[in-house]
């Protein structure tokens, strides 16, 4: 089996056979693995049919030939109905019973070159297709058929098969199940790892990496207090009337273009995107991993956001309004479904208010930001502004780094 990018069109079509839109990834993987394993055994089956036919053994010829015909018909039925459980049960039953029937028709273990080894594959496959508990019954069935074979072996009439053919088939009966098991398990593990990587990427799109790692091993409340952090809120000015004028596709495309640019800036500056709400964007520095330069990094982010928005959209009507504050925050994960990593505290509220009471096209910051950055950045004093819930509050506009 090859990786997803190297699969042939035939393998891709077979893997998709019987899949149902909306299936969970585990269910889709079980379906595709069963179809591929069944198809692989069908490819190998004609070797036994042709050989037994050449040896003049009609019943041993009919058993694998019948399996081939019935299995191809069941694959066609499965492709049309998508009924996985009946198809799975039917195939596992066939693969368990027919090797023993073939062994008995050939006259026992020695004459059949231990063809009953093929009956082990359904027990192994059941671990993948049914689950650990469900596979117990299939393995018990395999052991029971082995016991029956051992009991009747002395009374069976061995078929006349040349010694060289017996040896060749013994090698084939050891190699065949081993090859099928190896290839299908390899395919299953590779696909499962690919889906795991995809799930990890999705999780890291929701939570910071260090928080995601804690969430996997921690079942209680995840919450931290940070004595120093910087929070930024950005909003597109007059976005609502703009959204009314544009088609829905253009609105989403515009936001995706702008926010994707912001995400890249956050990654470059090692800042943490917290969330987006409508056309608002929130980012923080110093959480969940503390750093000494969190305020400077967020200031650089704010200046770069204004420039990136102007450069990417190419529209004079797109203007950002940004608010910043620095200070203590509380951070944690909330919710059991669609959980999120969020921040709380006066620093968060102040940054939000500075944004909503800000000047279009400008970056409005608190006195705490000004005190921290005034020796390295240029500011314009705005005076006192009346912030909701805080009253008259001194504010500055961040202009850029000092020359």
């Amino acid at each position: 089996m090859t990786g997803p990018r190297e699969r042939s069109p035939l393998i891709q079509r077979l893997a998709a056979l019987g899949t149902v839109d909306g299936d969970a990834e585990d269910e889709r993987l079980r379906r595709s693995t069963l179809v591929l394993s069944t198809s692989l055994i069908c490819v190998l089956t004609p070797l036994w049919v042709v050989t037994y036919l050449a040896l003049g053994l009609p019943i041993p010829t009919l058993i694998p030939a019948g399996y081939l015909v019935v299995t191809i018909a069941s694959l066609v039925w499965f492709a049309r109905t998508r009924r996985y459980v009946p198809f799975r049960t039917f195939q596992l039953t066939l693969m368990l019973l027919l090797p023993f029937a073939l062994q008995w028709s050939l006259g026992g273990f020695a004459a059949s070159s231990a063809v009953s080894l093929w009956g082990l594959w359904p027990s192994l496959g059941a671990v993948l297709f049914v689950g650990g508990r469900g596979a117990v019954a299939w393995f018990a069935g395999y052991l029971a058929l082995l016991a029956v074979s051992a009991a009747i072996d002395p009374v069976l009439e061995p078929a006349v098969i040349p010694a060289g053919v017996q040896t060749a088939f013994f090698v084939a009966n050891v190699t065949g199940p081993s090859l099928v098991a190896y290839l299908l398990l390899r395919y299953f593990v590779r696909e499962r790892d690919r889906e795991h990587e995809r799930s990890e990427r999705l999780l890291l799109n929701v939570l910071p990496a260090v928080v995601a790692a804690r969430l996997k091993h921690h079942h209680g409340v995840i919450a931290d207090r940070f004595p120093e952090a910087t929070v930024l809120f950005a909003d597109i000015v007059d976005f609502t009337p703009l959204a009314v004028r544009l088609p829905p596709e253009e609105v989403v495309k515009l936001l995706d273009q702008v926010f994707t640019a912001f995400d890249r800036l956050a990654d470059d500056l090692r800042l943490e995107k917290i969330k987006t709400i409508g056309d608002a964007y929130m980012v923080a520095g110093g959480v969940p991993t503390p750093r000494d330069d969190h305020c400077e990094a967020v200031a650089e982010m704010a200046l770069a956001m204004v420039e990136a928005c102007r450069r990417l959209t190419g529209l004079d009507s797109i203007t950002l309004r940004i608010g910043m504050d620095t200070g203590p925050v509380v951070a944690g994960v909330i919710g059991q479904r669609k959980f999120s990593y969020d921040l709380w505290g006066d620093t968060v509220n102040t940054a939000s208010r500075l944004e909503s009471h800000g000047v279009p096209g400008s970056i409005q910051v608190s006195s705490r930001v000004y005190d921290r950055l005034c020796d390295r950045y240029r500011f314009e004093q705005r005076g006192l502004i009346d912030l909701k819930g805080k009253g008259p509050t001194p504010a500055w506009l961040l202009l850029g780094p000092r020359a």
Side-chain angles (χ1 to χ4, degrees), residues 295 324-326 365-374 379:
C295 195
M324 273 180 61
D325 191 21
T326 190
V365 305
S366 66
S367 58
R368 292 186 290 194
V369 172
Y370 172 79
D371 291 340
R372 184 151 185 162
L373 300 180
C374 60
F379 292 87

Side-chain angles (χ1 to χ4, degrees), residues 235-246 250-252 254-256 258-259 277-280 317-319 321:
D235 185 76
I236 298 177
V237 178
D238 294 329
F239 181 77
T240 300
L242 177 64
V244 171
R245 296 197 308 268
L246 294 175
E250 292 298 318
V251 173
V252 175
L254 175 62
L255 283 177
D256 179 67
V258 173
F259 287 172
I277 306 174
D279 61 311
S317 58
I318 297 296
T319 304
R321 186 171 50 229

Side-chain angles (χ1 to χ4, degrees), residues 48-108:
W48 280 259
V49 176
V50 172
T51 303
Y52 293 140
L53 183 62
L55 292 173
L57 301 172
I59 295 178
T61 300
L62 288 174
I63 291 174
Y67 168 77
L68 188 60
V69 172
V70 172
T71 295
I72 291 174
S74 70
L75 283 168
V76 173
W77 176 84
F78 180 52
R80 291 180 177 177
T81 65
R82 304 294 199 270
R83 296 182 62 187
Y84 173 62
V85 174
F87 175 72
R88 178 189 67 193
T89 304
F90 181 68
Q91 280 302 313
L92 292 179
T93 302
L94 278 182
M95 289 188 285
L96 177 62
L97 295 178
L98 292 188
F100 286 95
L102 183 57
Q103 178 169 294
W104 300 337
S105 71
L106 288 168

Side-chain angles (χ1 to χ4, degrees), residues 100 103-104 109 141-154 156:
F100 286 95
Q103 178 169 294
W104 300 337
F109 285 98
Y142 173 72
L143 294 178
L145 289 170
L146 275 180
V148 171
S149 297
I152 67 174
D153 195 75
L156 295 175

Side-chain angles (χ1 to χ4, degrees), residues 103-161:
Q103 178 169 294
W104 300 337
S105 71
L106 288 168
F109 285 98
S112 69
S113 302
V115 72
S116 59
L117 284 172
W118 282 95
L120 181 59
W121 166 241
S123 302
L124 299 176
V127 176
L128 304 180
F129 311 137
V130 183
R133 291 184 179 180
V136 173
W138 293 98
F139 187 63
Y142 173 72
L143 294 178
L145 289 170
L146 275 180
V148 171
S149 297
I152 67 174
D153 195 75
V155 301
L156 295 175
E157 183 69 26
V160 179
I161 301 175

Side-chain angles (χ1 to χ4, degrees), residues 207 274-275 277 282 330-334 340-344 348:
L207 299 174
I274 304 300
K275 60 185 174 183
I277 306 174
M282 179 183 178
V330 171
V333 177
I334 56 174
S340 65
Y341 183 73
D342 212 342
L343 307 180
W344 301 272
V348 178

